[in-house]
Amino acid sequence: MKLEGGRIPSSQLTILAIGFLLGSSIILGPGGAAENNAWLAVLFGLGEGLVFLSIYVQLQKNYPHKTLIEMNDIIYGPYLGKLFSICYIIFFLHTASLVVRSFGAFFGIILVSTPLSLLLISILLVCAYAVRNGIEVIARCSLLLVVLMIIVTIFNTALVAINMEPSNLLPFMDIPIQEFFKASHSISTLPFGQTIVFLMIVAFLNQQQEAGPSLLKAFLIFGLFFLIIALRNPMVMGPQIYLATYPSFAVVRSINIADILTRLDILIGVSFLGAGFLKITVLYYGAVLGIAQILNMRSYLPLVLPIGALILGVSLLQYDAYIYDINDALKYYPYYSLPFEFFLPLITLVAAKIRTYLQASPGGKV
Amino acid sequence: MKYLVFKKINFISALLIFSIFFCGGCWDRHELDSLAIVSGIALDKNNDGQISSTAQLIDPGQLKSSQEGNKGEGQAFWNVRGTGNTTFDMLRNCTHKSPGKLLVSHCQVVIFGEDLAKEGIKENLDILVRDFEFRDTLWLLVAEGKGSEVLETKTRLEKIPAFNISKMVRTQDFNSHAIGVNLHDFINLAISPATSAVVPIIRVDETNNEKFLNISGMAVFDRNLKLISKLNKEESRGLLWVIGKIKTGIIVVNSPQSNGTASLEILKASSKITPEIKENEVEIIVNIKAQSNLGDIQSIDNLLYPEIWNTLNRHQSAAIEHEVGLALDKARHLNADIFGFGEAIYKKYPREWKQIEPYWQEVFPTIDVKVQVETKLSMPSMAKDTIKLK
């Protein structure tokens, strides 16, 4: 009995990946410290992200129809492989809890007296329902949500066009070079590197050879959108962009077309609702499926709610206030996530290459 | 069995959809009748040295009564005063007198009293950017005298004084003698390392026992956000020419041939500030382009000759240069970079700016500013000659 019977076409994978990447970046805004040079940081971050992606795609090419967990088992053997898998699963769970928390924090600015746990439970319940229904359902609902998010982003950008002041992008590269690379690196780890979780999903792709191109497409389309946002936000906000907790949100709040089209805050709320849902669901699904595969379970359904409760608990307990989260996201996450997003997959890829080389060579026994 | 499951799902969906009406907003739901909607806020320093805030609440009942014909019976607003230690404290303390929690989402103007502005408004800005309810698009103004008096001045055409002020600020575009500065612009000016912030000045005038409001120019703040001076209408227009914020307006010039005046209506205007650094000398080149048409002329000039038009056009350039000169002189005198010259230098020469920045206050008044004005005058509209009495 297979854990996941669903199959998704490559076009849906692209859409799902775009939605996943848009996830928290839709409100957090790119490259905090880079401010008016964020657009360049986005390009550098995309470049670094593509390096990460090439590792993931290589891995997937070597082991088609296998998830990350199964790959680890094949490459490292059942015991060491499981250890590696557990590392990834902890990373997925933690990242999911971070996204859930940033989701709650965002809605918490308006819903001040509503308990945070209620906001988190309500989003997690929807995510749990999606995870329960399997990858086909997740992929299909991503289509609707991503189209909505893209339309909203284009709409917002068009409406603030009159507030844009291109000279706000000047002076070019006035920040210390190491600050700039910190910013671009943080973009590459959040969101680009987080696509490591897609190694749990591409196994269910109809045509395995399409995995690389469709993820690449997602990276480039999202990169374009991120670039537009990174150019738009400083142009509209000017120097005070350093002040805004959620720059994109502040930009949308400043829309004022003849006093008729104003107060469009809800547009950002809706798109973040969709994007956050997709991102949490994908990470949640990756963790649940991974644990089920490690434990050799016949179905992952019994795990859905307990893992959801775990994500909820972690996201509630890890910070007292969201300011710590922003601090961490900027300071530590780029380095904390690096082993899971880059080093472990790289080691796995090298190990896989050695293994295939040994198998192919006549003297190899393994 | 299948039928039963189907029924259950239907029931649950219906229950969920129905619950939207009761659960909207969770713990944070606000009913309209429990809120006091604020249209404008004035912050003042009282005679006893305490700072107080005046919030203008809208009375929705009075707003609709005008259609029933009993206009002027009651006023549609109510000004509530609150005192406290901080701006937020003052605003919240209004609830001792108001029937509901203040909702500032619809606040359109924040007016600083003159005395408070002279002491500095740095402390009063934070709440405006931090609180979720305040919008970036609200207008900031400085009152000549007390801000609360401005908020109390009823006008005939608008029922709510704050909304009236908000409309007045926008109407300034037709004269370009002042320009509305919203919170977003003001914060950018305030955090800039060089630029001095300006906001429009409003005052209460009185003729025949009827009070009315008047936007009389622009207030200039120093780098610590303390009110230091005022620009009159001409100086404000000069400032707007330099920063390229002229929308439209009337330029009055002497007519070319005979005695009399001509009014030129500005159709469009733009400007470009270009800093140049040559041999450690900063030079600012301000390039102003303007196009206008002849609005009216009180003379017997013969408009059929092109030379007349050229002369008129020269007069126009001279008038613009004169206004810009007034603004420049005032700014140099105040040592306040209201034009954003420092910002322009920073954008073009970021490295050199780092050396200039600490001395900007000393450098600014000595900077050589070259003003280049290019003007165009359009052809006449309905009349091609002047009215000649015979």
Side-chain angles (χ1 to χ4, degrees), chain A residues 67 69 85 89 200 285-295 303:
Chain A
T67 68
I69 310 297
S85 301
I89 283 162
M200 300 297 298
Y285 177 81
V288 166
L289 187 71
I291 294 173
Q293 285 185 334
I294 286 180
L295 299 177
L303 284 174

Side-chain angles (χ1 to χ4, degrees), chain B residues 163-304:
Chain B
F163 291 171
N164 176 50
I165 296 165
S166 163
K167 281 188 178 167
M168 279 172 73
V169 169
R170 246 169 285 174
T171 317
Q172 293 310 305
D173 284 350
F174 295 108
N175 262 318
S176 299
H177 277 137
I179 186 167
V181 176
N182 63 23
L183 180 61
H184 179 270
D185 300 335
F186 191 79
I187 299 292
N188 273 343
L189 293 173
I191 62 176
S192 151
T195 317
S196 290
V198 287
V199 297
I201 292 182
I202 193 160
R203 67 159 185 249
V204 185
D205 280 352
E206 197 172 342
T207 39
N208 301 336
N209 283 330
E210 186 175 347
K211 284 184 175 177
F212 58 94
L213 296 170
N214 185 0
I215 291 183
S216 59
M218 303 287 276
V220 183
F221 288 89
D222 68 358
R223 301 294 314 124
N224 291 318
L225 293 185
K226 287 178 184 166
L227 177 68
I228 44 172
S229 185
K230 294 163 194 169
L231 302 181
N232 63 26
K233 285 182 173 160
E234 276 185 313
E235 290 158 350
S236 311
R237 168 105 49 107
L239 163 67
L240 298 193
W241 281 117
V242 176
I243 58 176
K245 289 284 172 69
I246 295 275
K247 292 274 163 47
T248 177
I250 308 296
I251 307 171
V252 180
V253 295
N254 288 329
S255 58
Q257 282 181 325
S258 45
N259 287 335
T261 51
S263 325
L264 310 173
E265 184 189 14
I266 306 160
L267 296 178
K268 60 180 175 191
S270 63
S271 87
K272 200 170 175 223
I273 299 172
T274 322
E276 294 286 346
I277 296 183
K278 282 179 200 145
E279 294 152 9
N280 288 329
E281 284 293 313
V282 187
E283 187 190 63
I284 305 275
I285 299 158
V286 181
N287 194 322
I288 299 168
K289 284 185 183 148
Q291 195 190 338
S292 58
N293 84 30
L294 181 62
D296 81 344
I297 183 160
Q298 278 98 36
S299 72
I300 50 164
D301 288 7
N302 196 338
L303 292 180
L304 294 173

Side-chain angles (χ1 to χ4, degrees), chain A residues 29-209:
Chain A
E35 286 170 20
N36 57 0
N37 296 303
W39 60 276
L40 197 63
V42 165
L43 289 180
F44 274 76
L46 176 64
E48 206 184 327
L50 287 175
V51 174
F52 295 166
L53 181 67
S54 65
I55 298 174
Y56 311 155
V57 171
Q58 280 298 317
L59 269 175
Q60 189 272 339
K61 260 189 192 157
N62 283 341
Y63 300 96
H65 292 297
K66 295 276 181 272
T67 68
L68 189 57
I69 310 297
E70 291 163 326
M71 277 178 217
N72 283 336
D73 277 358
I74 297 170
I75 296 167
Y76 299 110
Y79 298 107
L80 192 61
K82 289 214 163 43
L83 191 70
F84 274 63
S85 301
I86 288 168
C87 291
Y88 283 120
I89 283 162
I90 290 173
F91 176 65
F92 297 158
L93 281 174
H94 189 209
T95 306
S97 75
L98 286 172
V99 181
V100 175
R101 182 60 190 257
S102 66
F103 180 90
F106 176 71
F107 287 98
I109 36 174
I110 311 153
L111 303 173
V112 261
S113 46
T114 308
L116 184 63
S117 52
L118 190 93
L119 294 173
L120 304 191
I121 288 171
S122 51
I123 183 77
L124 272 169
L125 272 180
V126 183
C127 295
Y129 184 64
V131 170
R132 208 187 132 80
N133 281 313
I135 190 64
E136 275 189 9
V137 171
I138 300 172
R140 257 182 265 140
C141 67
S142 75
L143 190 67
L144 180 73
L145 294 170
V146 170
V147 168
L148 180 84
M149 282 185 277
I150 287 177
I151 290 173
V152 165
T153 312
I154 294 173
F155 183 67
N156 286 341
T157 311
L159 287 184
V160 286
I162 51 161
N163 298 350
M164 285 181 191
E165 180 60 63
S167 74
N168 281 338
L169 292 174
L170 291 169
F172 179 65
M173 284 303 281
D174 187 41
I175 50 169
I177 197 80
Q178 62 266 40
E179 285 297 318
F180 173 78
F181 279 112
K182 262 186 204 167
S184 77
H185 175 65
S186 89
I187 290 170
S188 75
T189 54
L190 183 156
F192 288 115
Q194 291 174 336
T195 38
I196 177 77
V197 71
F198 274 77
L199 280 182
M200 300 297 298
I201 288 169
V202 287
F204 309 114
L205 200 61
N206 270 341
Q207 289 138 332
Q208 287 290 299
Q209 72 279 7

Side-chain angles (χ1 to χ4, degrees), chain B residues 90-102:
Chain B
M90 290 187 282
L91 285 174
R92 188 53 68 83
N93 283 342
C94 291
T95 45
H96 292 312
K97 297 165 194 167
S98 87
K101 181 173 174 276
L102 302 193

Side-chain angles (χ1 to χ4, degrees), chain A residues 110-115 118 167-168 170-171 174 236-240 242-243 249 253 256 259 263 265, chain B residues 25-28 105-106 129 131-137 170 184-185 187-188 191 343 346-347 350 354:
Chain A
I110 311 153
L111 303 173
V112 261
S113 46
T114 308
L118 190 93
S167 74
N168 281 338
L170 291 169
D174 187 41
V236 175
M237 295 291 285
Q240 63 173 297
Y242 83 94
L243 204 62
F249 187 49
R253 272 166 69 86
N256 187 351
D259 274 345
R263 299 166 197 266
D265 313 17
Chain B
C26 297
W27 276 248
D28 293 277
S105 302
H106 296 267
V129 290
D131 195 290
F132 171 76
E133 284 181 359
F134 284 104
R135 312 292 303 194
D136 263 7
T137 47
R170 246 169 285 174
H184 179 270
D185 300 335
I187 299 292
N188 273 343
I191 62 176
E343 199 78 18
Y346 167 61
K347 279 174 179 167
K354 289 211 169 72

